[in-house]
Amino acid sequence: MISATEAPAHGPGFLARKDLGALFALVRDDGRRLIGPTVRDGAVMLDELDGPDALPEGIRESQTPGRYRLEAGRPGRLFDHTVGPSSWKRWTFPPTVPVGTTRRDGAVVAFEPATPDAAPLAFLGVRACELAALAVQDRVLLGGPVADPDYAARRRSALVIAIQCTTAASTCFCTSMGTGPEVSDGADVVLTELDDGFVVTAGSRRGRELLERLPVRLATAEERDAAAGGVAAARAAVAANAGVAAPGLPSRLMAALDSPRWADVAERCLTCANCTLVCPTCFCTSVTQRSDLAGAETLSERTWDSCFTGSFAAVAGGNFRSRPQDRYRQWLTHKFATWVDQFGTFGCIGCGRCVTWCPAGIDVREELAAIAPPPRAVVTGMHLPAVTPAPDEAWLRPARVVATHRETANVTTLTLAWEGQVPGAGQFVMAGPPGFSAAPISVSRARRGAIEMTVRAAGPATAALTALGHGATVGVRGPLGRGWPLERMLDRNVIVVAGGIGLAPLRSLIEAIAAERERFRDVTVYLGARTPRDRLFVGELGAWSAAGIAVTETVDRAGADWLGRVGVVTHLFDHAERLPEGAVAAVCGPERMMEATVEVLRARGIPDERIFVTLERHMECGVGLCGHCQLGRFFVCRDGPVFSIAELGDAFGREGL
Amino acid sequence: MARPRLGVVKFASCDGCQLTLLDLEDQLLGIAEQVEIVEFAEATSARSAGPYELLLVEGSVSTPEQAEAIVELRRQAAKLVTIGACATTGGIQALRVFADHDAWRASIYPHPEWIESLATATPIADHVPVDAELRGCPIDPGQLLEFLTATLLGRRPRLPDEAVCLACKRAGSVCVVVAHGEPCLGPVTRTGCGAICPAFGRGCYACFGPRETANVPGLRRSLVVLGNAPADVDERFAGFTALAPPFARAAAAGLAAAAATGGDDARR
Ligand SMILES: Cc1cc2nc3c(=O)[nH]c(=O)nc-3n(C[C@H](O)[C@H](O)[C@H](O)COP(=O)(O)OP(=O)(O)OC[C@H]3O[C@@H](n4cnc5c(N)ncnc54)[C@H](O)[C@@H]3O)c2cc1C
Ligand code: SF4
Ligand code: SF4
Ligand code: SF4
Ligand code: FES
């Protein structure tokens, strides 16, 4: 795409208002559905339009926090409004789309990814801030290691006809975020409305070809000036609004994680999620299943979700963000701080939708000013380079269970035949029996041709996994995430600390070390289990010792037949006189156990850079697209699940992040 | 494999929720293939058909006899699921707790002494443990089907405990609070109905009862700021799920205000 400001050879053109119908006709001839603004139920909505008559003629809106009303605008003008509650994301990233279908016919199971809907669309009336929003979502959904295939298809096929703003609402703050009101790039055609028509420029070859087929004449100097004057008026109006002091905001905001204002805003916030759903950049989704009664066919669908819902950060047995203040903090810090770390832009483009459509009238500009007050000098600007889409993602693939081994009453190790890439130690897969949600499960052993998963029945999906027998089919995606840093452990002493099921991802590490034992120095494994009956991999501990790995065990509670140690796992260090010099530690277990262990390791002189943990978070996609697993600036699925404590910094063990 | 036995019984209620099962016309045959429907009757009529693998209970407990019956039914049910606003929160008849029960009974029935009723209409969960709830007045057929399907397949049924607002926004409706200043209880109400009322330009009446972290004081304040009279806002809570703890205070205040101004209004 070339820049829209780069005018075609003959300069900007002029399209009379009466000829707008020709544009509609052309777009339709090209087989596109035209989406644009129209008045519905008292608001300007983005719906499919039949013709120019459907546009909101002579309409403007009054927008203030929590309040929106239509008013009379300049007579005859079709784009005198600004932005309503719907955004183009409804069309590029619809509320619900199919992800895939699981079919079961006797023992035969098939996972069929959905075919993306690529019916071509044309967007009429895209504002500068909204072009920026599309660019932000491009980065999120196409710019990572895995691209969203449905979004990619819709986005690529859409023709974008932008309109420059000549008015502004009181909730607009595009100038703060550097996204408007002037259209810079990302559009195929750019219109600027005058009283009797539009000054038009092409922003791409596709746009130029379209203009060549329309009754467009060269714009006069007066028309060009009038267009520029209209946009300048909009800039002046936005600049007079309250704004956001964007420069330096991420660090100011992250320094204010303990501000008392979070609790204050939580009193007003209804955790209703309206802000996130009207926001044109929010991308969080969940995957749900729908099946027929016999379970022969299950449709998995991706649905808009929000960090304000109660189950968003819930995991089996707990919730990382149970308090409303944690949820508001996630929203605000994500939009204005951690998004920058993750994607290189703000997550906010200054459209003001979340301000107007918050029923409690909470204004992000006001909250930011209170929580992270601006420094003196304010500079603006946000650069949005184009992104190259990553290859399309694969959905679940079938994997056959070739062996099962019951570890404890509720933990089973499944061996799956595996043709894919051999997972590294500490990587995980998304795995689920047909018809169930896929759960993140660590690979507890990997070799050519087979992987093992050790699963604790914590809820319905994991219970169904542990109940699978030889020959059953599991849907698997992976290997995913970043595993244990084996290279950091070479020629060093290694300490491994596991609590309960946390031994599963560490087993792959221990075996990787055992396989090349001479490349590591002293290796000590500390194991904690609730009771002797909950110990995992009991038959393998001898082999670890034989390989020169010291294994020490403890249980929280013991019966008479247990002769070993009793007490929580951190107490094992009390028996070790001193921890080995320069050691690297790998820890996995319940979050509280990891916090306690890290404290002890630090106290024994191991620096944060050499303490690694693997974290559990709610995961829906496993590839950085659904947003559920966020911890501050990290996506645990993609950037972790293994992290050093130094990387996590303050985020480790902080309540409500 | 023997089909699981499904029972449907009712207490004080209007039958609307159990009729939802019959509304699932297209799926009814399939359901009957998967489960054996053994009881579909008023809870207080013949009740010999237990035990049940799954018992759907409609209605609230409003007579002493019902209070005994539910304990017995619980014993016979492996999984007991309450369906509808009456069973899960007390229902519209629970409004009686805000009134003088005896005076009310006397004003409605010619022979109040013949009417045996409790001064309360309470949710089933006040009497026995409940395994799952299907909310709504009436319940949503889609949720009922999802619940039955997921239960049969052993997966977690999708009954999200989130605000009605999410369904409203996904449907592309215009927010009636922001665009029209209408009082709407969507932000504090559990989803499930598909946000029907806002789609027709009306505020939500909280048929599905409170959601988790329902910020009732916050919503009352903002609806008043947006131009509604405090009493009108409170009265809105005095509906199908008034007795649900997060709503009860506002509901009581609303009824008191209505009684002070309109008299009969309190007894809608
Ligand atoms: C990187 C990683 C590696 C892991 N490795 C292993 C492993 O090797 N072995 C192992 O046994 N476990 C492992 N886990 C944990 C495992 O993924 C969870 O125990 C599993 O997701 C539980 O799923 P479930 O469907 O059985 O249980 P559920 O309780 O149904 O949980 C399923 C998901 O739904 C959410 N949820 C819970 N309740 C609700 C509700 N009421 N409404 C909506 N959503 C809800 C949960 O937060 C959870 O994410 C790992 C987790 C992570 C993140
Ligand atoms: S955070 Fe608010 S102002 Fe910023 S892009 Fe999202 S909806 Fe618009
Ligand atoms: S986590 Fe971020 S992207 Fe997701 S809903 Fe919240 S603010 Fe929006
Ligand atoms: S900030 Fe407003 S829109 Fe967002 S969840 Fe809170 S009350 Fe709802
Ligand atoms: S972003 Fe979806 S699980 Fe991490």
Side-chain angles (χ1 to χ4, degrees):
Chain A
M1 254 172 224
I2 62 159
S3 163
T5 45
E6 193 181 307
H10 50 284
F14 183 84
L15 177 72
R17 174 162 315 125
K18 64 174 174 44
D19 292 328
L20 202 56
L23 175 66
F24 277 75
L26 262 190
V27 164
R28 195 162 310 137
D29 287 351
D30 288 350
R32 296 178 185 278
R33 292 160 63 203
L34 190 137
I35 316 299
T38 189
V39 171
R40 165 160 61 85
D41 299 332
V44 176
M45 304 297 284
L46 300 175
D47 289 338
E48 188 168 356
L49 306 184
D50 289 335
D53 289 351
L55 291 165
E57 186 180 336
I59 295 239
R60 214 172 248 194
E61 328 94 327
S62 142
Q63 299 197 43
T64 50
R67 192 173 184 282
Y68 176 101
R69 294 291 185 279
L70 295 181
E71 293 177 346
R74 286 173 284 183
R77 293 265 181 155
L78 303 175
F79 296 92
D80 220 21
H81 56 277
T82 55
V83 293
S86 52
S87 74
W88 304 99
K89 115 176 155 180
R90 173 166 298 279
W91 302 96
T92 52
F93 189 65
T96 300
V97 294
V99 174
T101 306
T102 306
R103 275 180 240 283
R104 194 198 341 227
D105 185 3
V108 184
V109 178
F111 299 93
E112 293 166 20
T115 317
D117 176 354
L121 301 177
F123 298 158
L124 172 64
V126 183
R127 312 257 159 193
C129 65
E130 298 179 313
L131 287 168
L134 288 167
V136 169
Q137 280 214 328
D138 286 352
R139 283 174 166 254
V140 174
L141 298 167
L142 305 176
V146 173
D148 184 300
D150 189 82
Y151 179 85
R154 289 172 196 270
R155 180 76 168 101
R156 272 192 212 117
S157 73
L159 179 83
V160 177
I161 304 171
I163 182 94
Q164 306 226 60
C165 288
T166 56
T167 54
S170 82
T171 42
C172 293
F173 57 104
C174 57
T175 53
S176 296
M177 306 314 292
T179 58
E182 305 82 4
V183 170
S184 55
D185 57 11
D188 294 300
V189 173
V190 183
L191 311 178
T192 312
E193 190 172 27
L194 303 180
D195 282 334
D196 49 356
F198 303 89
V199 169
V200 296
T201 52
S204 69
R205 177 132 67 92
R206 198 158 61 167
R208 198 152 46 233
E209 283 164 8
L210 188 78
L211 291 188
E212 279 161 10
R213 294 154 67 203
L214 282 172
V216 172
R217 60 158 169 79
L218 269 183
T220 63
E222 294 79 58
E223 284 160 351
R224 291 203 304 263
D225 288 350
V231 182
R235 169 164 284 277
V238 180
N241 287 343
V244 162
L249 182 56
S251 46
R252 290 204 309 284
L253 195 52
M254 293 313 277
L257 288 182
D258 296 319
S259 164
R261 181 84 177 196
W262 300 114
D264 172 87
V265 66
E267 301 247 301
R268 290 172 279 136
C269 173
L270 311 175
T271 60
C272 63
N274 278 301
C275 47
T276 52
L277 300 196
V278 294
C279 178
T281 67
C282 273
F283 60 87
C284 287
T285 53
S286 286
V287 177
T288 58
Q289 281 74 35
R290 269 199 290 154
S291 348
D292 59 307
L293 281 154
E297 192 172 304
T298 303
L299 176 66
S300 292
E301 292 172 308
R302 182 198 79 190
T303 303
W304 284 357
D305 202 343
S306 161
C307 52
F308 280 100
T309 65
S311 58
F312 189 80
V315 290
N319 187 350
F320 286 102
R321 293 189 210 107
S322 53
R323 299 174 305 177
Q325 69 189 74
D326 303 331
R327 301 183 202 168
Y328 192 85
R329 189 173 69 180
Q330 166 62 21
W331 144 256
L332 205 69
T333 54
H334 193 211
K335 301 264 91 170
F336 293 96
T338 50
W339 202 297
V340 178
D341 298 307
Q342 292 169 343
F343 304 110
T345 67
F346 281 106
C348 172
I349 48 81
C351 68
R353 284 183 175 89
C354 60
V355 180
T356 301
W357 297 97
C358 170
I362 297 171
D363 186 335
V364 288
R365 298 169 296 181
E366 207 177 304
E367 298 311 317
L368 286 169
I371 293 166
R376 289 236 169 82
V378 177
V379 198
T380 56
M382 177 165 77
H383 186 53
L384 295 167
V387 292
T388 344
D392 282 358
E393 64 179 313
W395 191 49
L396 299 173
R397 279 178 295 142
R400 191 164 286 273
V401 177
V402 292
T404 66
H405 178 250
R406 186 83 174 256
E407 303 283 348
T408 73
N410 63 352
V411 178
T412 297
T413 297
L414 302 174
T415 308
L416 305 180
W418 188 253
E419 260 129 52
Q421 189 191 333
V422 180
Q427 281 195 294
F428 69 99
V429 293
M430 296 298 290
F436 284 71
S437 57
I441 303 290
S442 304
V443 176
S444 64
R445 170 180 282 163
R447 49 191 154 81
R448 202 159 299 285
I451 60 169
E452 292 183 19
M453 317 189 294
T454 303
V455 185
R456 179 175 65 104
T462 42
L465 275 177
T466 59
L468 292 178
H470 189 107
T473 301
V474 185
V476 180
R477 176 178 209 177
L480 303 169
R482 185 179 66 159
W484 300 107
L486 263 177
E487 67 296 342
R488 300 279 306 272
M489 300 175 178
L490 293 175
D491 285 325
R492 284 188 178 273
N493 297 312
V494 180
I495 297 172
V496 174
V497 191
I501 190 72
L503 184 54
L506 287 166
R507 181 209 206 194
S508 57
L509 171 68
I510 294 167
E511 293 197 341
I513 292 176
E516 297 181 278
R517 181 66 190 84
E518 66 288 352
R519 303 183 67 191
F520 304 85
R521 290 203 213 161
D522 291 351
V523 182
T524 320
V525 177
Y526 298 96
L527 303 180
R530 255 205 305 242
T531 73
R533 285 198 195 149
D534 294 316
R535 295 159 66 229
L536 301 177
F537 311 125
V538 178
E540 299 167 29
L541 304 186
W544 297 353
S545 303
I549 293 172
V551 180
T552 318
E553 284 190 273
T554 181
V555 297
D556 297 352
R557 279 178 285 111
D561 52 347
W562 175 252
L563 302 175
R565 288 192 168 121
V566 179
V568 293
V569 70
T570 44
H571 285 163
L572 286 176
F573 300 117
D574 301 345
H575 304 280
E577 209 129 279
R578 56 185 185 84
L579 295 182
E581 200 75 10
V584 177
V587 186
C588 183
E591 194 108 337
R592 293 265 171 269
M593 166 268 177
M594 293 199 283
E595 285 168 32
T597 305
V598 168
E599 270 322 304
V600 174
L601 293 171
R602 275 176 171 159
R604 294 300 200 93
I606 303 188
D608 287 1
E609 289 73 22
R610 293 207 305 266
I611 305 176
F612 293 88
V613 293
T614 174
L615 298 181
E616 179 178 356
R617 283 296 182 275
H618 185 135
M619 293 185 181
E620 295 273 334
C621 72
V623 294
L625 292 172
C626 77
H628 277 268
C629 66
Q630 290 177 80
L631 171 67
R633 64 193 167 100
F634 299 114
F635 287 102
V636 172
C637 66
R638 197 181 75 190
D639 305 325
V642 173
F643 293 95
S644 76
I645 296 300
E647 282 174 292
L648 291 173
D650 273 2
F652 182 69
R654 183 189 279 273
E655 189 184 357
L657 216 57
Chain B
M1 201 171 65
R3 290 171 301 161
R5 290 156 64 88
L6 168 76
V8 189
V9 295
K10 75 170 243 117
F11 288 89
S13 56
C14 72
D15 289 5
C17 289
Q18 36 170 304
L19 289 179
T20 304
L21 194 58
L22 300 180
D23 282 349
L24 294 174
E25 285 165 52
D26 297 346
Q27 288 84 15
L28 209 54
L29 263 178
I31 295 172
E33 272 170 26
Q34 301 288 333
V35 298
E36 186 189 348
I37 302 179
V38 289
E39 183 97 340
F40 210 106
E42 293 231 7
T44 42
S45 62
R47 230 181 3 265
S48 52
Y52 315 94
E53 261 79 38
L54 179 62
L55 182 65
L56 305 181
V57 180
E58 179 194 281
S60 54
V61 174
S62 64
T63 68
E65 191 194 6
Q66 289 173 339
E68 281 167 32
I70 186 61
V71 175
E72 175 52 30
L73 282 167
R74 173 72 263 195
R75 255 185 234 126
Q76 296 182 26
K79 205 173 218 179
L80 188 151
V81 179
T82 47
I83 60 171
C86 303
T88 56
T89 67
I92 194 90
Q93 60 272 27
L95 289 178
R96 68 173 80 169
V97 306
F98 300 119
D100 178 343
H101 178 63
D102 290 336
W104 207 1
R105 188 161 48 179
S107 74
I108 296 170
Y109 297 100
H111 289 283
E113 65 281 9
W114 295 353
I115 305 293
E116 175 127 27
S117 68
L118 298 171
T120 55
T122 40
I124 302 297
D126 283 7
H127 300 265
V128 294
V130 164
D131 298 300
E133 290 184 337
L134 290 177
R135 306 273 200 91
C137 185
I139 55 169
D140 174 70
Q143 283 207 334
L144 177 62
L145 186 62
E146 162 64 8
F147 180 80
L148 292 174
T149 312
T151 306
L152 286 168
L153 301 177
R155 68 166 159 75
R156 183 187 291 280
R158 181 171 155 72
L159 301 171
D161 189 2
E162 62 192 29
V164 171
C165 300
L166 283 102
C168 185
K169 280 287 178 295
R170 287 184 198 120
S173 299
V174 175
C175 176
V176 297
V177 174
V178 173
H180 306 293
E182 282 275 315
C184 174
L185 303 188
V188 294
T189 302
R190 184 191 284 205
T191 195
C193 62
I196 304 170
C197 290
F200 288 95
R202 303 167 61 137
C204 164
Y205 292 92
C207 312
F208 278 63
R211 52 172 280 248
E212 59 87 44
T213 67
N215 183 353
V216 173
L219 180 64
R220 287 166 83 198
R221 228 174 326 174
S222 19
L223 290 177
V224 169
V225 168
L226 292 171
N228 294 283
D232 291 348
V233 173
D234 286 340
E235 224 192 312
R236 217 157 231 267
F237 286 96
F240 308 102
T241 55
L243 205 65
F247 294 170
R249 242 179 83 185
L255 286 176
T261 54
D264 268 4
D265 240 19
R267 295 187 189 148
R268 276 171 321 162

